[in-house]
């Protein structure tokens, strides 16, 4: 399985706070059947600070990849970031291509303020698409606008934007509203990917051990495979995600 969203690189954001924690996160993921993690530290949370594009990113990424090898942890680590879409510098970053996409593909993982208006999020996603990227909406179920009206997520889905649900939301660890919304999106077929968005080994851990039985009770095996394997694989291979005509009509 592939985990597309994970704050595993140590000491670059609010994720892994030491190399030891990061290695434990990696081991836990591997033991749960995850063979690939895209490392997605926050980028651009503060638009006045330089973001993680370039030299500094490559350095942190390579150091951690070397550490995994040194410890013999059989995990494929791929580059990425979770870009915070600030309206005042988003255009500049996209124009200058100063963003680290998921494994340098066309897919850009993007997050927003939880209370952003739906129209603001849509405008930013459209802007990202105009620059030739495919936006991957990080945890749509955590935004109030989607919690209040799932049709917003349906509009993004129809435009070909990718919806990435958080494991923690589905399992009820990120509040009741996110839990309800994630269940709704999942049952409507409005999800392309589920990822860990892991930050540590305890509260927001890596791995899909508790997620799998949850999904098996609710979803067809083909849907589970799409969410954890097939769609993430298309993304890291920079391939389009095929959408069957009947996708949203199917009962999962
Ligand atoms: Fe995240």
């Amino acid at each position: 399985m592939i985990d597309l969203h994970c704050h595993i690189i140590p000491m670059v954001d609010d994720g892994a706070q030491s190399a030891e924690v990061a290695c434990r996160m990696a081991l836990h993921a591997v033991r749960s059947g995850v063979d690939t993690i895209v490392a997605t530290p926050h980028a651009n949370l503060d638009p006045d600070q330089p973001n993680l594009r370039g030299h500094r990113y490559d350095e942190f990424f390579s150091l951690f990849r070397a550490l995994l090898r040194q410890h013999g942890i059989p995990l494929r680590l791929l580059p990425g970031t979770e870009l915070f879409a600030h309206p005042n510098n988003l255009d500049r970053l996209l124009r200058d291509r100063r963003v680290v996409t998921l494994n340098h593909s066309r897919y850009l993982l993007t997050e927003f303020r939880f209370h952003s208006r739906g129209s603001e999020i849509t405008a930013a996603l459209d802007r990202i698409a105009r620059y030739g990227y495919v936006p991957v909406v990080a945890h749509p179920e955590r935004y109030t606008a989607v919690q209040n009206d799932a049709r917003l997520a349906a509009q993004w889905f129809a435009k070909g934007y990718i919806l990435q649900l958080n494991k923690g939301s589905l399992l009820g660890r990120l509040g009741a509203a996110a839990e309800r919304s994630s269940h709704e999106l999942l049952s409507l077929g409005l999800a392309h990917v589920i990822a860990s968005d892991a930050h540590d080994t305890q509260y927001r851990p890596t791995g899909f051990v508790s997620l799998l039985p949850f999904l098996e009770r609710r979803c067809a095996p083909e849907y589970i495979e799409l969410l954890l394997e097939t769609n993430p694989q298309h993304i890291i291979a920079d391939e389009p995600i095929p959408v069957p005509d009947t996708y949203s009509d199917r009962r999962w």
Side-chain angles (χ1 to χ4, degrees):
M1 292 178 286
I2 299 167
D3 187 358
L4 269 195
H5 180 171
C6 188
H7 299 263
I8 194 169
I9 298 183
M11 296 171 288
V12 294
D13 63 358
D14 59 344
Q17 290 306 299
S18 70
E20 193 208 329
V21 167
C23 285
R24 287 217 310 270
M25 288 168 74
L27 265 180
H28 186 70
V30 167
R31 286 181 186 142
S32 84
V34 172
D35 52 41
T36 304
I37 284 184
V38 185
T40 52
H42 292 288
N44 202 42
L45 269 179
D46 177 354
D48 296 328
Q49 297 294 319
N51 86 9
L52 280 173
R53 171 75 196 174
H55 219 52
R56 198 162 147 245
Y57 180 90
D58 295 342
E59 199 179 308
F60 280 111
F61 179 83
S62 311
L63 276 174
F64 183 52
R65 184 136 82 172
L67 192 70
L68 289 175
R69 286 219 183 100
Q70 208 180 319
H71 287 275
I73 301 173
L75 178 74
R76 182 164 61 141
L77 188 76
L78 300 175
T81 53
E82 178 180 22
L83 182 79
F84 191 91
H86 269 291
N88 52 350
N89 75 347
L90 184 62
D91 265 305
R92 189 154 43 86
L93 290 178
L94 296 169
R95 194 178 49 235
D96 300 346
R97 306 199 91 69
R98 286 203 308 124
V99 291
V100 181
T101 56
L102 297 172
N103 197 27
H104 301 310
S105 66
R106 71 194 76 177
Y107 295 96
L108 179 62
L109 182 67
T110 313
E111 66 172 331
F112 301 88
R113 259 181 246 292
F114 290 152
H115 299 296
S116 300
R117 286 210 304 272
S119 55
E120 283 168 1
I121 302 181
T122 301
L125 294 172
D126 291 345
R127 203 170 304 148
I128 290 168
R130 275 203 299 280
Y131 280 95
Y133 299 101
V134 178
V136 177
V137 185
H139 39 65
E141 77 281 0
R142 300 192 77 191
Y143 305 126
T144 357
V146 174
Q147 292 167 355
N148 291 337
D149 190 351
R151 283 175 298 185
L152 189 57
Q155 287 164 16
W156 300 338
F157 188 98
K159 291 180 179 198
Y161 304 161
I162 305 304
L163 304 176
Q164 176 259 302
L165 307 187
N166 270 13
K167 167 186 82 163
S169 303
L170 290 162
L171 297 179
R173 296 174 188 159
L174 297 171
E179 182 181 14
R180 206 175 325 113
S181 176
S182 64
H183 291 194
E184 185 182 16
L185 297 180
L186 185 74
S187 62
L188 290 170
L190 293 173
H192 297 89
V193 177
I194 299 173
S196 74
D197 195 4
H199 282 65
D200 51 46
T201 53
Q202 207 181 349
Y203 301 105
R204 298 176 71 181
T206 48
F208 296 134
V209 172
S210 16
L211 178 70
L212 284 172
F214 168 90
L215 291 176
E216 280 155 9
R217 286 196 299 275
R218 286 168 176 79
C219 311
E222 306 84 42
Y223 192 23
I224 301 175
E225 201 179 330
L226 268 185
L227 294 166
L228 297 174
E229 186 86 52
T230 317
N231 285 342
Q233 177 56 42
H234 284 307
I235 289 173
I236 60 176
D238 196 19
E239 296 164 355
I241 291 188
V243 180
D245 294 342
T246 54
Y247 200 104
S248 53
D249 299 332
R250 271 171 83 167
R251 293 190 44 159
W252 295 102

